[in-house]
Each structure stands twice: as C-alpha cells, then as structure tokens.
Amino acid sequence: MKTLAYLQISALLLAGLFPGLAAAEGGPGVGYAKISDGAYSIVAEVRAKPGKEAELRAVTLPLIDLVRGDPANLVYFLQENRESPGHFIFYEIFANQADFEAHNAMPYVKDWFAKLPDLADGGVKVMRMEVLAPAGK
C-alpha cells in the first residue's frame, strides 16, 4: 500500500514539475507530432575554461526558461557531462533555419555569447542538423 501511495505522489509531483507530462495522456510520443520532417535542429557544445565551470553554468542555466519560452522553439535541452563538469551540450529544435536565426538574434542569446570569451575554452561548436521523420508523419 505504501508503494502505491508513493507512486501516486510521485506522479503528481512529476506532473507539477513537468506539466507536459499531463498532456501526454494520449500516449507515448504525442509531442513528436509537432516536429515535422526537415525541422532544423542544433547540437552544440561548450566547455568551460579551467576554474570557470561554476560561472559558465550560472550564466547558462537561465537560457533554459528563456529559450523554452520562445514560441518558435520546439525543443530545448541543456545537458552537462557528469564526468566532466563544465562541458555542456545543447539540443535544440526549431521548425526552420529562419526561426533558429531569429533565436540567435535575441538579446539574451547575444549577451550569453558575449560572456563566452572569458568563460569558455574555444567557444561553441555547433552541428546544424535536419530532423528525419518517417514518411507520412
């Protein structure tokens, strides 16, 4: 009985922390329908200079809410390498390149890039990618 109560409380907490989970009641992968074949995706990485890991993390974390709040952004994840603190990987999806370029022109993105010379080792490495979806989806 305790396990069931724990699972129910966990589900409620997750739904509160991640409101999108509640919307996924239609089944697994429902959100993928928003991402069309040919969508513009980015995989980028940045590494902190030695001793600058905490500073780079501090200026990078606010990007999560800012980018996810952009209506043109479809997906945004910021990840940090567990084995190498200060090594960040970004995964972003936009409907097209124009939406991504408009994102890069936002003041908060420009401000973040302006801080990188002092914090990042070698700048940002970017792979510009195309989302492939099965035919008919």
Side-chain angles (χ1 to χ4, degrees):
M1 199 63 158
K2 285 184 180 180
T3 302
L4 179 59
Y6 174 77
L7 290 173
Q8 290 172 329
I9 291 169
S10 296
L12 289 171
L13 287 173
L14 283 173
L17 292 172
F18 305 102
L21 289 177
E25 291 177 3
V30 170
Y32 294 121
K34 295 179 183 176
I35 301 169
S36 64
D37 188 37
Y40 200 81
S41 68
I42 299 298
V43 177
E45 72 175 318
V46 63
R47 293 177 189 262
K49 289 181 177 180
K52 298 289 187 174
E53 297 86 356
E55 285 181 70
L56 181 57
R57 185 180 305 106
V59 301
T60 304
L61 282 173
L63 294 177
I64 297 169
D65 287 337
L66 292 167
V67 177
R68 288 181 179 179
D70 180 345
N73 174 257
L74 302 175
V75 172
Y76 181 85
F77 286 103
L78 171 64
Q79 303 161 93
E80 184 172 11
N81 187 333
R82 292 176 191 261
E83 296 174 4
S84 181
H87 178 199
F88 298 95
I89 301 291
F90 302 81
Y91 182 69
E92 309 174 40
I93 300 178
F94 294 85
N96 52 54
Q97 184 175 356
D99 285 351
F100 174 69
E101 299 302 337
H103 156 73
N104 273 348
M106 298 295 272
Y108 65 86
V109 175
K110 289 181 176 184
D111 289 344
W112 181 80
F113 273 104
K115 295 172 183 170
L116 292 184
D118 293 333
L119 303 175
D121 189 13
V124 180
K125 295 178 185 158
V126 177
M127 288 189 297
R128 295 167 183 257
M129 317 221 10
E130 178 179 346
V131 173
L132 303 177
K137 294 229 175 189

